[in-house]
Amino acid sequence: MSWRQWLAMAFVVVASAVTAQAEQERLVVAMTILPDAASAGAVCLDGSPPAYHLSRGSGGGAGSWVLQFEGGGWCNDVPSCAERAGTRRGSTRFMNKLEGFSGVLSNDPAMNPDFYSWNRVKLRYCDGGSFAGDSEFRNGSSVLYFRGQRIWDAIISDLLPKGLAKAEKVLLSGCSAGGLATFFHCDDLKGHLGGAATVKCLSDAGFFLDVDDITGNNTVRPFFRSLVDLQGAQKNLNKDCLSSTQYSYQCFFPQYILPNIRTPYFILNSAYDVYQDLIVQLISNNTCFYPYLNSSIIILCLPHVILEANGVTSSESISAGLRSAMLAALKPFEDEQKIGMFINSCFAHCQSELQDTWFAPNSPRLHSKTIAELVGDWYFERGPDKQIDCAYPCDSTCHNLIPSNQFRKNE
């Protein structure tokens, strides 16, 4: 495929994502702000209070909970975090106070058959470190707060007396940077709730790989390393992972964390994840800086992405290499009974949030199962719960959608 074809596809992908989201009729849920959390130091990058959205369950689902981490990239240095602090990615002051719930958060049994009646919570993301940091940066009167871990603790503490403490079943989920957060907090949530609750975790498009970029260098690794150092995340990373790896930042990568997670886990990812493909290709080129990607920048960058870099490789082999690396990282878990997988070959990112990709008449399928059906089979132990797609372009059920809200900087 030529770069011109890729460029044309990019316009279609971005436009389709925006249209699909606009057409969905979704439940709209008000924001719950936690002003008292500041006393425990649980604040966003700019010092504003953390927040979440809660839609109450009913009937048989009243004692069960879905918690979903919001995604939205990261910041790994003071300038990028300072800029982020003035946007909805770093401050609840700039966030919409109403949030649409769809996909795994839908309250419609026709759109979310297994979880529609559960209590459903969206945790707003404003720390830039996948809810893992605990530090701050001061320069005179200017302060940046890296308090993702405290935000997580404050939200859970607020939800426990609202019924979470007596939960019977819980699914902790997240998309992108929020999907990465599930790896950090899966066992922690189980610890909060004890043995009476069935707790399981779902990472959607959060399996970020420790892989080399198109120049043969690993540029994602120093990005995560600087993030961990700046945000003070090391002390909150998985202790077993830290004891088995040489460098603490390695435990920011799911492939090193997953062997140490005791709670049942589901990996939902595209083997051709558009967002991850762009990380590997763009950070290395310094063509576009990943945390600030938006739909316009993606379109402008695609010619650079697709063109060969220093004669090293082409876009097709880059994507194929990414798929191979992901399957290799997941192979040790193929026989793990507690781990489920839906790995398709769509050019997509975050498939549990969009109704069209989660559960709809034309949703992506593997062996006739939608994502929602396979996740449900895994959670309720109804049958086979691992499906890995053949290589592109074999899958005719793909939507090739990019959720536009994952790429916007200043919404």
Side-chain angles (χ1 to χ4, degrees):
M1 184 182 294
S2 71
W3 70 262
R4 291 182 177 85
Q5 291 173 308
W6 274 85
L7 182 58
M9 186 183 75
F11 281 104
V12 173
V13 165
V14 174
S16 298
V18 174
T19 301
Q21 284 192 312
E23 290 178 350
Q24 290 172 8
E25 294 182 5
R26 297 183 292 178
L27 171 70
V28 176
V29 182
M31 176 184 283
T32 298
I33 297 177
L34 304 180
D36 295 337
S39 62
V43 291
C44 301
L45 284 170
D46 70 332
S48 59
Y52 64 84
H53 302 256
L54 166 63
S55 177
R56 285 290 189 177
S58 61
S64 301
W65 292 71
V66 174
L67 308 178
Q68 185 189 63
F69 287 112
E70 184 180 25
W74 311 276
C75 61
N76 72 323
D77 57 28
V78 170
S80 65
C81 290
E83 184 170 356
R84 188 182 181 98
T87 75
R88 73 180 187 91
R89 295 301 187 196
S91 172
T92 51
R93 296 187 180 99
F94 301 105
M95 292 180 182
N96 292 331
K97 302 306 184 283
L98 298 174
E99 185 72 4
F101 276 21
S102 64
V104 70
L105 295 181
S106 173
N107 66 336
D108 187 338
M111 297 181 176
N112 189 24
D114 283 313
F115 308 107
Y116 73 94
S117 64
W118 290 24
N119 298 280
R120 285 149 293 110
V121 186
K122 186 160 196 172
L123 287 71
R124 299 307 298 265
Y125 181 37
C126 64
D127 63 278
S130 286
F131 294 84
D134 191 6
S135 65
E136 64 183 48
F137 175 84
R138 291 183 177 271
N139 182 14
S141 60
S142 177
V143 186
L144 287 172
Y145 300 93
F146 307 113
R147 300 290 177 76
Q149 176 67 43
R150 298 193 198 192
I151 289 172
W152 159 253
D153 291 336
I155 292 177
I156 294 301
S157 295
D158 196 69
L159 291 173
L160 287 172
K162 294 181 177 179
L164 182 60
K166 298 180 180 180
E168 300 162 4
K169 297 180 177 66
V170 179
L171 175 64
L172 178 65
S173 68
C175 152
S176 193
L180 179 57
T182 63
F183 289 95
F184 303 147
H185 297 297
C186 186
D187 284 344
D188 183 45
L189 180 60
K190 177 64 176 175
H192 275 291
L193 301 180
T198 298
V199 178
K200 300 186 180 184
C201 302
L202 161 67
S203 171
D204 178 5
F207 202 80
F208 295 99
L209 292 167
D210 182 10
V211 293
D212 290 345
D213 58 43
I214 57 177
T215 66
N217 299 311
N218 192 314
T219 47
V220 183
R221 188 180 295 171
F223 182 90
F224 276 169
R225 179 174 58 207
S226 58
L227 188 161
V228 168
D229 290 344
L230 175 68
Q231 297 221 13
Q234 177 178 348
K235 56 181 172 289
N236 299 317
L237 299 179
N238 186 285
K239 299 299 186 291
D240 293 330
C241 177
L242 290 171
S243 66
S244 62
T245 52
Q246 185 175 4
Y247 303 106
S248 60
Y249 65 82
Q250 290 177 276
C251 296
F252 214 79
F253 287 99
Q255 66 202 79
Y256 305 122
I257 309 170
L258 188 56
N260 302 288
I261 294 177
R262 299 181 295 277
T263 307
Y265 218 98
F266 194 97
I267 307 295
L268 167 58
N269 233 98
S270 167
Y272 302 95
D273 191 302
V274 180
Y275 212 22
Q276 182 146 211
D277 210 4
L278 286 166
I279 297 173
V280 174
Q281 299 182 50
L282 298 182
I283 292 182
S284 61
N285 267 0
N286 202 25
T287 307
C288 305
F289 196 50
Y290 165 58
Y292 299 139
L293 289 179
N294 58 45
S295 55
S296 298
I297 293 178
I298 290 172
I299 292 170
L300 290 173
C301 289
L302 271 173
H304 300 277
V305 174
I306 302 310
L307 292 175
E308 293 187 4
N310 300 324
V312 175
T313 185
S314 68
S315 62
E316 288 83 358
S317 59
I318 291 169
S319 296
L322 184 61
R323 178 179 185 270
S324 297
M326 179 167 292
L327 297 186
L330 291 173
K331 188 171 182 58
F333 310 104
E334 287 183 358
D335 296 326
E336 287 277 353
Q337 291 186 348
K338 69 177 183 178
I339 294 179
M341 297 181 194
F342 189 106
I343 310 297
N344 59 5
S345 59
C346 306
F347 289 92
H349 186 70
C350 291
Q351 299 177 87
S352 65
E353 294 187 339
L354 289 174
Q355 194 61 55
D356 284 349
T357 48
W358 173 249
F359 189 75
N362 63 338
S363 289
R365 283 170 165 76
L366 291 181
H367 292 93
S368 78
K369 289 289 183 72
T370 64
I371 295 170
E373 288 171 323
L374 196 67
V375 170
D377 287 350
W378 161 77
Y379 191 96
F380 295 102
E381 300 176 5
R382 295 187 298 229
D385 52 18
K386 290 183 180 69
Q387 294 291 349
I388 298 177
D389 210 352
C390 48
Y392 177 84
C394 71
D395 192 340
S396 62
T397 70
C398 287
H399 282 206
N400 297 326
L401 293 177
I402 308 172
S404 59
N405 67 347
Q406 290 301 318
F407 298 99
R408 290 180 183 165
K409 175 182 172 184
N410 293 323
E411 276 190 323

